[in-house]
Amino acid sequence: MYKTWKGVQPYLLATPQTLVFLLFLIFPILMIGLVSFWEFNGYTMVPGFTLSNYADVFTEVSLRTYLNTFKYVVLVWFFCLAIAFPVSYFLAFHIQNQKLQIILFLICTVPFWTSNIIRMISWIPVLGKEGLINSLLLNLNLAEQPVEWLLYSDFAVVLGMVHLYNFFMIAPIFNSMMRIDRNLITAAEDMGASGFQILKEVILPLTAPGIAIGSIFVVTLVMGEFITVRLMGGGQSASVGKLIQTQIGSLQYPLAAANAVVLLIVTLFLVAGILRVVDIRKEL
């Protein structure tokens, strides 16, 4: 009896988490997949089976929206990495005082003290036609008229996303760098390696799992983003997330569900590609 209880106990302990996982993740995804095959007669959903929703996903307009979303993903990922790696490197290897290191790392979390919408709105008086940057350019005679592409453009969308998600890249990269054995760097220096060689042959390979984790965070967040696209794009930019929001607003739930399924599959492929390149199991 005791051996039976010991054998069943691990399964009982995992049961609550499994039920939560099934109820709040698997079941909603299955429902979205089911609705994606239903019909829409102009004002309500009709249970049934049709592939027309998926056919609409692969129209020219939808494909351009997906390509535009991929463009955001690549640009935001690149700039987040370009900012996060030097910041993490500075904190991990150039700040020796642990308290100061923690304080500077916490400063990176300051943007998270306010909501995403507030952070986006805060860029309007900076990037607008009468904002700080345009006022400075006009006063210095660097521009004859306000620069319009600073706000309500793809530039503004990418800037807003980098502002929002940069910390998701900094945190895992910083964590990976802090785990690097400093004796490896000392040994490389004793062998006559230059700073660039140490960065290339020691630090970068050992930081790869953190870069992969940060990339997964950034890619998945940007793929489903719609608030930043709406606020910073001003209706001039498009993404799959915004497309789904528009379809939900017009009660086209089956079509929105089909786009959601395709978006989920594409995102999973991107994540799987990252995991194929870098093994992150040692980092978890």
Side-chain angles (χ1 to χ4, degrees), residues 90-110:
F90 175 77
L91 292 177
F93 295 103
H94 289 277
I95 304 298
Q96 304 300 325
N97 188 299
Q98 188 175 14
K99 290 184 178 179
L100 179 60
Q101 197 176 60
I102 294 173
I103 291 173
L104 292 177
F105 180 76
L106 291 177
I107 289 176
C108 296
T109 68
V110 170

Side-chain angles (χ1 to χ4, degrees), residues 130-206:
E130 299 179 357
L132 296 177
I133 294 179
N134 272 314
S135 298
L136 180 63
L137 293 175
L138 293 174
N139 290 333
L140 294 177
N141 294 322
L142 297 177
E144 297 181 356
Q145 58 184 4
V147 180
E148 297 184 358
W149 56 262
L150 290 176
L151 188 62
Y152 303 139
S153 62
D154 286 345
F155 167 80
V157 172
V158 172
L159 177 64
M161 290 185 183
V162 172
H163 179 202
L164 288 178
Y165 304 133
N166 192 41
F167 182 73
F168 290 98
M169 186 71 81
I170 292 176
I173 293 178
F174 174 72
N175 181 60
S176 294
M177 288 184 176
M178 290 300 295
R179 292 186 177 190
I180 296 176
D181 188 352
R182 297 315 191 256
N183 291 327
L184 295 175
I185 298 176
T186 302
E189 292 174 344
D190 293 340
M191 294 292 291
S194 64
F196 178 76
Q197 289 175 321
I198 293 174
L199 176 65
K200 179 183 176 182
E201 303 295 339
V202 179
I203 296 177
L204 190 58
L206 295 177

Side-chain angles (χ1 to χ4, degrees), residues 222-237:
V222 174
M223 284 294 289
E225 176 63 71
F226 68 92
I227 295 178
T228 305
V229 177
R230 185 180 65 182
L231 293 179
M232 302 297 286
Q236 307 300 316
S237 304

Side-chain angles (χ1 to χ4, degrees), residues 264-282:
L264 175 62
I265 293 174
V266 171
T267 304
L268 289 176
F269 270 110
L270 292 176
V271 172
I274 295 173
L275 295 178
R276 291 276 295 179
V277 175
V278 180
D279 184 7
I280 67 172
R281 287 176 293 181
K282 296 180 181 180

